[in-house]
Amino acid sequence: MIDLRSDTVTKPDDAMREAARTADVGDDVYGEDPTVNELEARVAEAVGKDAALYVPSGTMGNQIAARVHTERGQEVLADRESHVVAYELGGFAQHANLQVRTLETDRGVPTPEQIADEYVTEDLHRPGTGLLCLENTHNARGGLAIDPERIAAAAEAARERHVPVHLDGARVFNAAMALDVPVTEITDPVDSVSVCLSKGLGAPVGSVLAGDEAFVERARRVRKLLGGGMRQAGIIAGPGLEALENVSELESDHENAQALADGLAAVPGFDVREPETNIVLADISGTGLETAAVVERLRDRDVLASEFGPATVRFCTHRDVSRADIGRALEKITETFE
Ligand SMILES: *Cc1c(COP(=O)(O)O)cnc(C)c1O
């Protein structure tokens, strides 16, 4: 099987398994797990924030951030296709009692003008805007690497209105790699950022939510509330630390995605979007088949991809697929559809 469904399917390598085996541990709910503490410090430093909190998933990181930044009933500004809107079970409504004002945006980021237009001042009738949520890379748009200027402009427009900004940075290291900028250039303008260790970096479990000390202190309580307080979590944080060593490897995922896109472009019926990072989206309307049927035909040839919208198939490269695997996948895909 060549599994291109997601970059979450990677399995921990020997170094990660060894890191799990040898991790120094303690009770992290008491703040006594040295491996977790080290991981939090390392990620905080990497993204240029004062503090950070290890959480079981990216979803929990985003949900905690929303809860900490807002008051019940407020509005959140977010791109219509963002992960927090589309793929987190309406968690903002469920966990933080928020109303999301979804925006149709260019490259997944609202412009300062959109923010000015959609911002709501609290009064007798209106709940007030409590949060701007951004995403980089933008998953549903095919892993777009959003440039720091766009993020900064949106964040500035929010800040002028005293609206905090959270960045869903599940793949923010991919963005920094693709744009060839320090990750802090992307994260500096935002108040909080969550990063996934379990995507391209390859850790088995976990994300980290970073922000200032006061934010993280409150986030720690919300994590406990949601049942995300873990005990000897160093066992999984150890592989997470190991995963941070893999940032530079993301470049080969991006190269593999480009090679895959180039090959797919020649497959009859496939309309391929130019990848910016490790995600390749193909509109398969031209095959005359339903997305599910395309994915099934590929599965029959031992190539796994994701259904991603009515006529879109998603392919995702990661550290468990090599360039040779991409070549083999392309051969099979081509044979299937020519
Ligand atoms: C994967 C992902 C998340 C979080 O996912 P979990 O599976 O909960 O770790 C959040 N945002 C984006 C953009 C993602 O791609």
Side-chain angles (χ1 to χ4, degrees):
M1 282 290 178
I2 302 169
D3 194 345
L4 298 168
R5 288 173 302 169
S6 174
D7 49 5
T8 56
V9 300
T10 56
K11 296 190 178 158
D13 60 20
D14 287 345
M16 288 183 204
R17 288 171 194 272
E18 188 60 15
R21 197 183 70 77
T22 57
D24 195 3
V25 298
D27 190 329
D28 181 50
V29 172
Y30 295 158
E32 291 173 1
D33 190 299
T35 308
V36 171
N37 293 342
E38 188 186 341
L39 176 65
E40 291 173 346
R42 287 268 304 276
V43 175
E45 197 193 342
V47 299
K49 300 296 172 201
D50 298 334
L53 184 72
Y54 185 46
V55 291
S57 68
T59 300
M60 194 186 281
N62 290 334
Q63 294 299 321
I64 291 172
R67 178 74 188 244
V68 172
H69 283 308
T70 62
E71 281 167 38
R72 178 161 193 251
Q74 285 185 318
E75 289 196 3
V76 181
L77 296 175
D79 171 67
R80 193 175 70 82
E81 292 184 279
S82 57
H83 196 277
V84 293
V85 171
Y87 303 115
E88 298 190 13
L89 293 158
F92 281 9
Q94 304 213 47
H95 298 303
N97 305 116
L98 299 170
Q99 162 163 292
V100 183
R101 189 176 279 257
T102 57
L103 307 177
E104 192 75 55
T105 69
D106 182 31
R107 287 183 67 78
V109 180
T111 60
E113 294 70 36
Q114 276 181 303
I115 291 165
D117 288 350
E118 302 291 339
Y119 169 79
V120 165
T121 309
E122 182 185 333
D123 65 15
L124 180 60
H125 304 281
R126 319 238 288 169
T129 302
L131 180 66
L132 169 66
C133 210
L134 305 175
E135 181 174 321
N136 200 7
T137 66
H138 198 293
N139 181 359
R141 298 287 185 92
L144 296 185
I146 315 295
D147 58 276
E149 293 73 22
R150 233 175 244 263
I151 301 280
E156 178 61 27
R159 196 178 323 281
E160 280 168 12
R161 295 167 178 82
H162 307 288
V163 173
V165 184
H166 173 66
L167 176 67
D168 176 353
R171 297 186 182 84
V172 75
F173 291 108
N174 294 80
M177 170 66 70
L179 297 165
D180 196 21
V181 297
V183 74
T184 47
E185 219 172 298
I186 299 171
T187 54
D188 277 350
V190 303
D191 297 285
S192 61
V193 53
S194 56
V195 306
C196 282
L197 305 171
S198 59
K199 301 256 160 98
L201 301 179
V205 188
S207 285
V208 180
L209 174 64
D212 68 20
E213 298 278 0
F215 171 83
V216 170
E217 196 178 306
R218 293 181 64 201
R220 195 173 290 280
R221 294 191 78 228
V222 177
R223 183 184 68 173
K224 191 73 178 76
L225 173 70
L226 297 179
M230 299 181 283
R231 302 298 177 174
Q232 285 71 39
I235 287 287
I236 48 176
L241 273 168
E242 197 59 44
L244 287 178
E245 303 297 321
N246 299 333
V247 170
S248 63
E249 285 183 23
L250 295 172
E251 189 161 26
S252 48
D253 292 349
H254 297 179
E255 288 164 6
N256 286 344
Q258 186 64 57
L260 181 66
D262 292 345
L264 286 176
V267 176
F270 277 57
D271 184 8
V272 181
R273 239 189 269 177
E274 194 58 23
E276 295 185 9
T277 54
N278 69 329
I279 296 173
V280 181
L281 298 184
D283 183 318
I284 50 72
S285 326
T287 61
L289 295 167
E290 301 282 333
T291 315
V294 169
V295 167
E296 196 179 309
R297 285 200 190 183
L298 295 178
R299 191 189 308 118
D300 288 342
R301 299 298 311 275
D302 294 333
V303 175
L304 301 183
S306 294
E307 284 180 56
F308 209 68
T312 306
V313 176
R314 188 185 78 165
F315 301 85
C316 200
T317 58
H318 52 76
R319 66 197 305 268
D320 285 359
V321 290
S322 63
R323 179 59 72 89
D325 291 328
I326 296 297
R328 271 191 290 278
L330 278 171
E331 270 170 37
K332 292 179 184 208
I333 298 167
T334 307
E335 281 165 21
T336 309
F337 291 98
E338 74 189 354

